[in-house]
Amino acid sequence: MKRFRRGILLFHFAVVLFTVAHLHEVVKHPLVTGLLDTYSSFSYTNRCFGFFSPGVNDDLEVHIKAYGTDTTRVIPAYFPGDNYIQRLRVRTMFAHFAENVEESTMGLYSRGWGLYIINQNPEVQRVDILVQQNGIPSMAAYREGQRIVSSNFYSTQIETIEE
Amino acid sequence: MKTFQKIKSLYQNIFAFIEKEASTVNLVFFRLGLGLIAILKFLIYSPNFLDFHGQYGMVPWAISKASIYPFLPHIGDVALWLSDFTRQSLDAATYTLYYIFIGACICFMIGFLTRLSSLICCFLHLCLIYAASGYMYGVDVFTQIGFFYCIFFPMGSNYSLDNVLGIRKVIRRSTEAGILKRIVQFQLCLIYFSTAIEKGLGYQWWNGEAIWRTFMLPTFKHFDFGWMAYAPVIPLVMGWSILLIEFTYAFLVWIPKYRTFAVISAVGMHLGIGLVMGMWLFAGIMVCLNLFAFGAEILVDIRAFNWKKRPGLAVLKRFNWSKESAGLG
């Protein structure tokens, strides 16, 4: 029993160390990556814990406009944000949306948002999604008068299909 | 032969260090802290639960399910099974699972059927975070780590309902409690050390820009920190301090003389994150892990501190720092 327990402990920390040291990026053997991914998926213990590293990225803001049959009238549509933690979760989602700047991931997320808004209100037929990036100036630039600048990062339109 | 002996002796020493008996009161603290954070983090968006975890939430199940390995548990699979079984709608089944999770957390906290409740907590928490991987941040990672560890350790061996009902005998000290403490200690050391290295690889943490940017990001903006640009030494010192705290943590916590300082600095850093960035739940789980890992040792260190050498701190001595007074004896 003691040996079994020790074996498990050694395995556990070997796996944790392997991931933390980023060795999984070097050793690409399918057996190793499969084992690591599986263990990590359940335990979460062997993750890369580099929060806000190596730097802090610009954050994103999502603007949504929903329309019904009358495309001149905007139907109010929002993401949940009753309290700060909810808003933080939503903001985290925006960060995950652009994590790898992959068109396919961003497309999936935006379709999810479009569907969410359409489900909120049966009147909605079209959802315009605009994602803007808040560019934070450096301290030196701020002293020279530069402020946070929002620039367009991604936009798409989700529509319901008439059958 | 000599090398083999040396390796064997090292192996024995390492495990003698890991398999040290410890008070099980520590486990009670861990149970309460972890359970409370897990409940709070879901209660906070209870009315909007389906917006975050539902079938047609902001990240629909079809998308969250597609982005994980097929063998991983997902709240959608469990809810589908439950709705078939109980003839509820999928949304109602999802809410039922939410209540089961909260119930399991309460059972886990009070130590009722502790092993089973920790298993349910771990499984449902995993299902919930996989359905919401889009909104996941540090607090979810650490809560899952905590629950995962709890499955394997006798969390209900002291101050639990299991004890009262005679399901489990009261155990005041155990090797398992010591092992869990060591595991969390090592895990924390690895986390802080690796995050310090990764932060140090970028220039933003060295010139203070990382702190400046964090304070200025609309996501975390609670106060106007624009003035900081005119006092760049403040974010610079803060950035260096964070690097120093995280980098040295892994070493200082093993030296009794510096342990209290290292842990208090880390706890202070997390409370600062809670205050400035509003990430109170993340701060809470990190403080809980730190206190679980090193709280008892800190009490011992404070007790052994030579107060006569530091007359200015004598006022602190009036407090009863003994392990017994904290229930850790």
Side-chain angles (χ1 to χ4, degrees):
Chain A
M1 187 61 193
K2 208 173 185 180
R3 275 193 184 171
F4 177 70
R5 189 171 69 192
R6 287 179 175 187
I8 289 194
L9 281 172
L10 283 175
F11 167 78
H12 172 73
F13 277 106
V15 168
V16 173
L17 271 172
F18 200 87
T19 315
V20 168
H22 288 269
L23 290 175
H24 61 291
E25 289 164 16
V26 185
V27 182
K28 297 273 186 195
H29 193 280
L31 189 73
V32 177
T33 48
L35 185 72
L36 287 174
D37 287 347
T38 309
Y39 192 67
S40 179
S41 302
F42 286 101
S43 72
Y44 270 68
T45 52
N46 55 318
R47 298 237 151 192
C48 296
F49 296 99
F51 303 113
F52 294 106
S53 57
V56 180
N57 298 324
D58 291 335
D59 68 356
L60 299 169
E61 202 117 28
V62 177
H63 302 277
I64 286 174
K65 278 184 181 169
Y67 302 93
T69 39
D70 174 9
T71 51
T72 56
R73 191 175 66 90
V74 176
I75 301 168
Y78 308 98
F79 286 126
D82 294 352
N83 54 51
Y84 179 74
I85 298 289
Q86 285 190 12
R87 290 193 291 277
L88 188 68
R89 289 265 178 207
V90 172
R91 292 271 192 172
T92 307
M93 175 176 71
F94 300 160
H96 283 302
F97 158 83
E99 213 159 35
N100 301 316
V101 203
E102 272 177 24
E103 202 66 35
S104 57
T105 309
M106 295 196 289
L108 277 177
Y109 268 95
S110 54
R111 262 172 263 170
W113 298 339
L115 186 66
Y116 170 74
I117 300 296
I118 290 166
N119 277 326
Q120 298 291 307
N121 188 343
E123 219 187 303
V124 175
Q125 296 206 336
R126 200 186 91 198
V127 182
D128 290 356
I129 297 169
L130 173 66
V131 183
Q132 287 191 312
Q133 189 167 34
N134 294 314
I136 312 291
S138 66
M139 282 187 276
Y142 190 89
R143 284 195 296 273
E144 282 163 18
Q146 235 185 75
R147 293 295 178 262
I148 297 173
V149 180
S150 296
S151 54
N152 290 355
F153 181 80
Y154 179 89
S155 68
T156 191
Q157 215 171 59
I158 311 291
E159 275 177 293
T160 54
I161 302 167
E162 295 284 332
E163 286 195 13
Chain B
M1 197 64 191
K2 238 182 180 180
T3 321
F4 178 74
Q5 285 297 332
K6 269 186 187 170
I7 292 171
K8 200 177 168 188
S9 138
L10 181 72
Y11 172 84
Q12 298 291 0
N13 287 339
I14 288 173
F15 277 103
F17 179 68
I18 293 172
E19 292 167 342
K20 227 178 208 172
E21 265 197 3
S23 164
T24 49
V25 175
N26 256 339
L27 302 181
V28 182
F29 174 78
F30 194 52
R31 228 172 56 205
L32 292 173
L34 187 65
L36 190 68
I37 297 282
I39 290 175
L40 278 179
K41 85 189 176 93
F42 286 105
L43 272 188
I44 278 172
Y45 53 82
S46 178
N48 305 102
F49 184 72
L50 293 177
D51 294 326
F52 287 91
H53 298 274
Q55 187 185 8
Y56 298 114
M58 287 175 287
V59 181
W61 286 351
I63 292 176
S64 57
K65 179 79 184 150
S67 61
I68 59 171
Y69 290 115
F71 60 82
L72 289 175
H74 187 279
I75 201 76
D77 300 330
V78 190
L80 202 62
W81 172 81
L82 190 68
S83 77
D84 281 347
F85 189 69
T86 57
R87 297 180 188 281
Q88 283 178 303
S89 70
L90 261 179
D91 284 353
T94 312
Y95 255 115
T96 306
L97 288 171
Y98 166 73
Y99 291 122
I100 292 174
F101 176 73
I102 300 288
C105 283
I106 293 169
C107 288
F108 175 70
M109 283 173 75
I110 59 174
F112 177 60
L113 300 173
T114 322
R115 183 85 69 178
L116 179 69
S117 57
S118 60
L119 194 68
I120 294 171
C121 283
C122 183
F123 176 73
L124 285 181
H125 188 261
L126 199 63
C127 290
L128 286 166
I129 60 176
Y130 275 130
S133 48
Y135 333 101
M136 209 177 74
Y137 68 104
V139 63
D140 305 302
V141 173
F142 289 104
T143 310
Q144 185 57 35
I145 290 176
F147 280 137
F148 178 75
Y149 284 146
C150 288
I151 297 175
F152 303 98
F153 292 90
M155 304 303 289
S157 51
N158 206 350
Y159 292 110
S160 66
L161 203 57
D162 286 349
N163 295 154
V164 177
L165 299 174
I167 298 170
R168 180 182 274 278
K169 268 198 299 186
V170 179
I171 302 169
R172 304 242 176 259
R173 295 184 70 80
S174 74
T175 312
E176 284 78 12
I179 293 174
L180 180 59
K181 199 170 80 170
R182 286 280 183 249
I183 288 177
V184 177
Q185 286 175 341
F186 290 152
Q187 183 89 48
L188 283 177
C189 288
L190 279 169
I191 289 166
Y192 285 121
F193 186 70
S194 70
T195 191
I197 298 284
E198 289 190 29
K199 280 188 176 106
L201 291 174
Y203 65 91
Q204 279 187 12
W205 286 93
W206 295 105
N207 62 10
E209 285 289 333
I211 298 291
W212 159 254
R213 292 174 67 80
T214 306
F215 284 6
M216 292 303 285
L217 282 175
T219 301
F220 303 121
K221 203 165 181 180
H222 289 290
F223 313 100
D224 184 12
F225 282 103
W227 57 269
M228 219 177 235
Y230 301 93
V233 71
I234 296 174
L236 182 92
V237 170
M238 288 172 83
W240 279 56
S241 305
I242 287 178
L243 285 178
L244 194 71
I245 290 169
E246 292 186 337
F247 185 79
T248 55
Y249 183 95
F251 307 102
L252 296 185
V253 286
W254 305 109
I255 309 168
K257 203 173 161 187
Y258 304 114
R259 181 160 38 216
T260 308
F261 173 73
V263 176
I264 287 176
S265 304
V267 166
M269 179 182 77
H270 289 299
L271 293 179
I273 290 172
L275 183 71
V276 174
M277 297 163 79
M279 297 166 87
W280 281 111
L281 292 171
F282 177 65
I285 191 85
M286 293 313 290
V287 170
C288 170
L289 288 172
N290 267 287
L291 294 183
F292 166 70
F294 295 104
E297 272 91 345
I298 287 175
L299 285 179
V300 174
D301 295 343
I302 292 175
R303 224 176 134 206
F305 186 75
N306 189 347
W307 299 97
K308 281 178 191 161
K309 269 190 171 176
R310 305 271 192 283
L313 296 175
V315 67
L316 292 172
K317 203 193 169 189
R318 285 184 208 150
F319 185 76
N320 186 2
W321 293 102
S322 67
K323 269 175 57 170
E324 290 76 13
S325 73
L328 298 168

